[in-house]
Amino acid sequence: MKKAFITGVCGQDGSYLTELLLEKNYEVHAIIRRSSIFNTHRIDHLRRNENFFQYYGDLTDSSNLNRLLKTIKPTEIYNLAAQSHVGVSFDVPEYTADVAGLGTLRLLEVIRDSNLDCKFYQAGSSEMFGGKIDTIPQNENTKFTPRSPYGVAKLYSHWITVNYREAYNLFACNGILFNHESPRRGENFVTRKITRAVAAIISGKQEFLELGNLDAKRDWGHAKEYVKAQWMMLQQEQPDDYVIATGKCYSIREFAIKAFEYVGIEIVWKGNGLNEVGIDKKTNKTLIKINKNFYRPTEVDLLLGDATKAKEKLGWKPRYTIDDLIAEMMEYDLYIENNIKSVNLNNFGAIQENINCKQAIHVS
Ligand code: NAP
Ligand code: GDD
């Protein structure tokens, strides 16, 4: 039986990856960090699985990682834990560097010190490409010019993973993943913030949505498909680094228009800059406002990935379109808000899974 060790299991990707590995009959061991409130709602539906083991742990605590890894002896390690919010990384740069940067080194050091015979996946990010992009779309050879403390921390992790692969012959891979979303996405990332707000507005529980930069563009895929790529990287003969992306990008403005369209609202724009507003064409109500607090000190304007290498070497290909992704997220958020009956619930499978998570929060 293969044994996986996952950090960041309570996050969006951790929950989908755990499902995938349990389906593949892995024994899954994972660290959960202590919190004053239950933070396991994304994995509560899996916690009774006899092959799933959870431990308290933290990427900032070397002794904890050392003890756990030496005892568990995993065959694959997936390092997904991070302070993963780019905007927040400007507020907590040192902590972000400690977890998203040094945390990776701590894991690699345990593997090296204990001669662990295991494969290692590092959750790298398209945020590492940053601002001065010399290639569009971006691939594995594009220069990195990060624009945030988060991007810089992830870049350290990227290179230390390459370095340990070369210096100590470790099977260590970097996934350079472009943005991926789902109904399980954290609520302060822009896509989920939008779908949550649209559902709340149409249900009469919120008046308007406040956003920052509407014109940044992102290449958005579905998290479920992206965790499969993480697993595929570790099943290859040789370790390598791969870009994972859809090859299509949209602005925040376009995402918001599409999400409102999903509930039958046509947005028209008026004004400029901080005074721009998005208005419901039918009722003339202001539904989107700009709040300068959501702008970042330095922005990444455009991310568009070229995943040709992943397609050719891993056989990985995304299937979700942006409209499929928005539909799934909207359906879930509409359900959470008030179970609107007029919504086409053609994605009930995904919603059912998430309902189970939601119920688990309530019984905890
Ligand atoms: P997420 O939902 O924010 O999950 C991050 C997880 O890391 C959470 O479970 C969090 O714990 C955990 N964590 C944070 N600090 C920790 C620490 N000190 N010790 C142990 N665990 C800690 O992120 P995600 O979207 O699933 O992304 C997974 C990974 O991929 C992250 O490393 C992210 O930076 C990277 N990535 C994500 C994307 C994307 O678009 N989603 C793209 C590229 C790369 P709590 O649950 O307790 O907060
Ligand atoms: N979060 C947020 N909130 N972003 C906003 C808002 C807002 O109100 N308004 C506009 N944006 C813009 C941000 O300025 C950014 O350009 C874009 O929306 C996407 O922001 P996020 O959804 O927070 O994602 P991100 O691209 O910064 O980072 C995500 O993707 C990275 C991969 O490229 C995270 O998942 C990172 O962990 C990941 O590495």
Side-chain angles (χ1 to χ4, degrees):
M1 184 182 252
K2 285 187 174 180
K3 256 192 217 180
F5 181 83
I6 304 181
T7 71
V9 74
C10 295
Q12 171 188 251
D13 288 13
S15 67
Y16 283 119
L17 180 65
T18 303
E19 278 168 11
L20 178 78
L21 297 180
L22 289 172
E23 270 165 28
K24 292 187 180 297
N25 281 325
Y26 276 64
E27 201 174 271
V28 177
H29 299 256
I31 53 168
I32 295 178
R33 60 180 179 156
R34 192 266 163 184
S35 151
S36 67
I37 190 164
F38 286 115
N39 61 350
T40 56
H41 59 278
R42 293 189 183 97
I43 54 165
D44 278 341
H45 60 300
L46 302 172
R47 291 182 80 189
R48 285 200 200 102
N49 188 305
E50 59 179 15
N51 290 326
F52 186 29
F53 304 87
Q54 302 115 57
Y55 313 85
Y56 280 114
D58 199 297
L59 266 198
T60 59
D61 189 329
S62 305
S63 60
N64 163 270
L65 298 173
N66 200 24
R67 194 170 50 250
L68 287 174
L69 287 174
K70 279 184 179 159
T71 315
I72 296 163
K73 296 192 174 62
T75 53
E76 294 174 12
I77 297 178
Y78 295 86
N79 181 30
L80 308 183
Q83 188 303 94
S84 72
H85 197 284
V86 173
V88 172
S89 77
F90 289 93
D91 299 320
V92 288
E94 196 176 319
Y95 177 71
T96 302
D98 196 2
V99 182
L102 286 179
T104 308
L105 177 63
R106 292 185 184 105
L107 287 171
L108 289 166
E109 269 295 279
V110 181
I111 299 175
R112 173 192 169 205
D113 259 9
S114 330
N115 279 323
L116 276 185
D117 185 13
C118 75
K119 297 179 173 180
F120 180 78
Y121 172 80
Q122 166 54 22
S125 165
S126 52
E127 181 71 17
M128 297 185 300
F129 291 125
K132 293 184 193 129
I133 287 162
D134 59 0
T135 320
I136 296 174
Q138 295 114 24
N139 62 29
E140 293 79 3
N141 301 316
T142 305
K143 198 170 142 194
F144 295 123
T145 56
R147 296 263 287 170
S148 61
Y150 168 84
V152 174
K154 282 286 181 184
L155 195 49
Y156 175 82
S157 282
H158 176 91
W159 286 122
I160 201 69
T161 300
V162 172
N163 182 242
Y164 271 54
R165 179 167 74 212
E166 292 173 353
Y168 307 114
N169 207 20
L170 301 188
F171 192 110
C173 301
N174 285 296
I176 306 172
L177 270 54
F178 282 63
N179 298 47
H180 43 281
E181 320 294 311
S182 74
R184 298 184 195 171
R185 184 57 144 156
E187 292 173 16
N188 60 353
F189 295 94
V190 78
T191 54
R192 188 78 198 289
K193 182 174 171 182
I194 293 171
T195 59
R196 288 283 286 143
V198 171
I201 288 169
I202 194 81
S203 316
K205 295 182 185 167
Q206 186 172 327
E207 261 187 76
F208 54 84
L209 160 68
E210 286 190 318
L211 292 172
N213 180 8
L214 294 176
D215 295 315
K217 291 189 171 165
R218 290 292 182 272
D219 178 333
W220 281 299
H222 195 298
K224 210 174 211 174
E225 299 188 324
Y226 284 45
V227 300
K228 184 144 191 224
Q230 298 170 0
W231 172 77
M232 287 170 135
M233 286 177 215
L234 297 198
Q235 311 315 308
Q236 303 307 302
E237 291 283 309
Q238 295 299 327
D240 208 340
D241 305 326
Y242 298 88
V243 158
I244 300 296
T246 70
K248 296 206 166 66
C249 74
Y250 300 87
S251 65
I252 315 305
R253 186 187 297 280
E254 288 169 305
F255 191 99
I257 290 173
K258 281 175 177 290
F260 275 104
E261 247 170 34
Y262 192 83
V263 293
I265 294 177
E266 189 181 344
I267 294 289
V268 290
W269 303 93
K270 284 193 181 151
N272 289 307
L274 292 178
N275 296 319
E276 185 169 11
V277 286
I279 290 173
D280 180 345
K281 190 176 178 195
K282 213 185 271 170
T283 63
N284 217 27
K285 264 194 189 160
T286 296
L287 299 185
I288 303 175
K289 293 184 184 180
I290 305 299
N291 182 332
K292 65 175 177 5
N293 293 330
F294 297 119
Y295 276 79
R296 291 165 185 182
T298 41
E299 176 64 283
V300 171
D301 295 321
L302 170 75
L303 291 176
L304 175 62
D306 169 10
T308 305
K309 180 175 168 184
K311 190 174 166 198
E312 287 174 357
K313 293 207 167 173
L314 305 177
W316 180 86
K317 211 171 107 193
R319 297 191 195 288
Y320 269 78
T321 64
I322 187 80
D323 293 324
D324 298 336
L325 177 65
I326 291 176
E328 191 175 315
M329 293 173 75
M330 280 306 313
E331 283 172 24
Y332 179 56
D333 284 328
L334 286 165
Y335 178 81
I336 289 189
E337 275 310 329
N338 57 8
N339 199 3
I340 291 180
K341 297 283 188 296
S342 61
V343 174
N344 175 13
L345 292 175
N346 60 4
N347 227 327
F348 199 74
I351 289 177
Q352 188 60 46
E353 261 171 44
N354 285 291
I355 290 168
N356 291 338
C357 292
K358 195 173 168 243
Q359 283 168 347
I361 306 175
H362 293 177
V363 296
S364 296

